[in-house]
Amino acid sequence: FMENLYRNPVETAHDELFTWLEEGNMPITEDGCFIAYKRVRDDYTSLHDGSTPNIVGTTVSLSSRDDADSNFRNECSRGLHFCSYSYLQSFSGARTLILKINPEDVVAIPADYNHAKGRAWKYEVIGEVPNGERFDDSQVKLIVSDEIIQGNCCVAAVRNKHQGNKQSDARRFASNKSP
């Protein structure tokens, strides 16, 4: 996860993503990605443009990272939208998809709605919650359990390592500065 995260050129996305994972109690996969949700139209196209297909088993991407807005202050903007479980009630759509996202591909986590939604420039559609079924995030964790490291404690441990790396980098920078 950390290697993927540090390849993300949007530094503000590093801390934002930890907040999103913790507040949404979202799982990290064994290959260092994370699970998210997306609502789409009945024909599996994006709610925002009505034309971007989101088919289970495919990778959805924009032409480039620059096509997505990396400013977290912009609540609704350009990019491929995803959300945590808590935001699903605020997100309309006929179908609920399960996404796998590499932290490297996240461009912003807006602060509105308690950091419950985000934007990426690329993600993989790995599943669908059966239409009409009521579910909670623990059930979805079971659906994709072969890829998941369970629980918020894992996210907290990774965040602590991230904070430690940031402090070490700052100390190294300070010690390398000329007097």
Side-chain angles (χ1 to χ4, degrees), residues 8 10 13 16-17 20 34 38 48 62 65 67-83 101-112 116-123:
N8 188 326
V10 182
E16 294 167 5
L17 185 54
W20 185 86
F34 63 92
K38 181 173 188 77
H48 297 283
L62 301 175
R65 173 183 287 281
D67 291 336
D69 182 3
S70 63
N71 186 342
F72 69 92
R73 289 180 183 88
N74 295 333
E75 296 171 2
C76 292
S77 190
R78 297 173 288 118
L80 299 172
H81 296 216
F82 62 89
C83 69
I101 304 175
N102 189 318
E104 178 180 11
D105 301 325
V106 173
V107 295
I109 305 290
D112 66 327
K117 62 182 189 172
R119 292 188 297 273
W121 79 278
K122 180 170 40 173
Y123 56 67

Side-chain angles (χ1 to χ4, degrees), residues 57-60 98-102 122-127 147:
T58 64
T59 297
V60 179
I98 304 168
L99 310 177
K100 180 177 169 184
I101 304 175
N102 189 318
K122 180 170 40 173
Y123 56 67
E124 183 181 351
V125 183
I126 63 168
E147 294 194 41

Side-chain angles (χ1 to χ4, degrees), residues 20-80:
W20 185 86
L21 289 165
E22 286 179 326
E23 290 190 13
N25 193 27
M26 300 306 294
I28 296 173
T29 63
E30 290 180 13
D31 60 354
C33 296
F34 63 92
I35 301 299
Y37 304 102
K38 181 173 188 77
R39 289 255 168 98
V40 295
R41 298 171 189 232
D42 199 40
D43 65 357
Y44 294 93
T45 58
S46 170
L47 294 172
H48 297 283
D49 67 12
S51 63
T52 303
N54 286 267
I55 308 299
V56 175
T58 64
T59 297
V60 179
S61 67
L62 301 175
S63 297
S64 77
R65 173 183 287 281
D66 294 332
D67 291 336
D69 182 3
S70 63
N71 186 342
F72 69 92
R73 289 180 183 88
N74 295 333
E75 296 171 2
C76 292
S77 190
R78 297 173 288 118
L80 299 172

